[in-house]
Amino acid sequence: MVVLTKPTLEQLIMKTTKPVNPLTLSQIPIVDLSSHDAKHQIVNACQEFGFFKVVNHGISMNLIKKLESQAMQFFLSPQDIKEKAGPADPFGYGNKKIGNNGDVGWVEYLLLNVKPETDIEKLVSAFEEHPEVFQHALNDYLTSVTKMGCGILELMAEGLELESKNAFSKLLMDDKSDSVFRLNYYPPCPDVQEDEINGGNLIGFGEHTDPQIISVLRSNDTSGLEIALKDGTWVSVPADSEAFFINVGDSLQVMTNGRFKSIKHRVVANSKKSRMSMIYFGGPPLNEKIAPLPSLIEREEDSLYKEFTWFEYKNTAFTSSLSHNRLGLYEKLPSKI
């Protein structure tokens, strides 16, 4: 359970300067993975939004529900049991504190390394009864979601008419891929009174972009996800527990030389219903050099970004606040004529 003191509550109140409008189902870019036109749908969505919903993805709801059930069982456990999987360093169980730069949210989470041989001891201690059930559910889910994510990246490459179909996906399939998986649990907050919030919203997870290449999100039927449009307007995304949502990450924005935009997003807490989300963050190997793909720029001078390694950018991301414009450090200044 997330327990907040008065000063922390004040930190979590988000004052909205612009109205948050709900996106209708017809406005959200929807990609049907069974469609012959999926590659063009994906490219259009990445250019216009940096975000889209995936249907006909082929991942069994039974497989999804197994992991969700196991995760919910963990988050509803007594606090002392959950803390056996913590503290987050960065992997493990976290409660309210997000990272080491002062960000907080109405959230509990498990952050896990996708590599199956890591973080097992912490998890086993927290899942006292049948930890192997959680481990199997997790492995099955990650295998399916990684495969889907790589398939989407290959469709992106085809839609961009790149010579190599695996220009993006090979980075996730690499044995040294630095991908992570996050389970976020946003408890209901009925004890927080409207007069305390005073017209604002309670932050579940503050606004940010994802630093990796791609993020694959699935949540239950409780809304809360909001994305920022190009004009800065924040819109609420209707929940859909049978679909996945894809975010363009900062690294993909750089590799496409800004053609695809990483999407700024946040989560607001719900006073009456809990929200559970499961996010796979597909990252490259730590030593991978990130730069615009040569085939997407005509001349070196056309590159909008300086080259960096994922290790360098990851350190930048995790030593700055959530809302910080991390890519700004790597943008090239316009040449003077």
Side-chain angles (χ1 to χ4, degrees), residues 63 74 121:
L63 182 149
F74 169 80
E121 289 185 12

Side-chain angles (χ1 to χ4, degrees), residues 117-132:
E117 67 274 11
T118 57
D119 309 316
I120 297 302
E121 289 185 12
K122 276 186 176 182
L123 288 177
V124 168
S125 63
F127 287 84
E128 294 180 320
E129 294 184 15
H130 308 297
E132 72 281 358

Side-chain angles (χ1 to χ4, degrees), residues 233-281:
T233 301
W234 284 94
V235 293
S236 177
V237 179
D240 186 344
S241 63
E242 296 189 358
F244 285 89
F245 293 91
I246 307 297
N247 294 346
V248 169
D250 295 342
S251 296
L252 186 57
Q253 175 172 324
V254 172
M255 294 179 76
T256 60
N257 202 37
R259 184 167 172 179
F260 293 173
K261 297 291 186 182
S262 58
I263 182 74
K264 186 177 289 187
H265 54 288
R266 66 191 183 194
V267 174
V268 296
N270 188 302
S271 62
K272 298 178 182 178
K273 297 167 64 180
S274 64
R275 182 175 189 269
M276 168 83 74
S277 62
M278 309 189 290
I279 314 104
Y280 165 78
F281 299 96

Side-chain angles (χ1 to χ4, degrees), residues 304 306 331-336:
L304 300 177
K306 305 170 190 173
E331 292 173 353
K332 290 185 176 180
L333 296 175
S335 58
K336 295 180 180 179

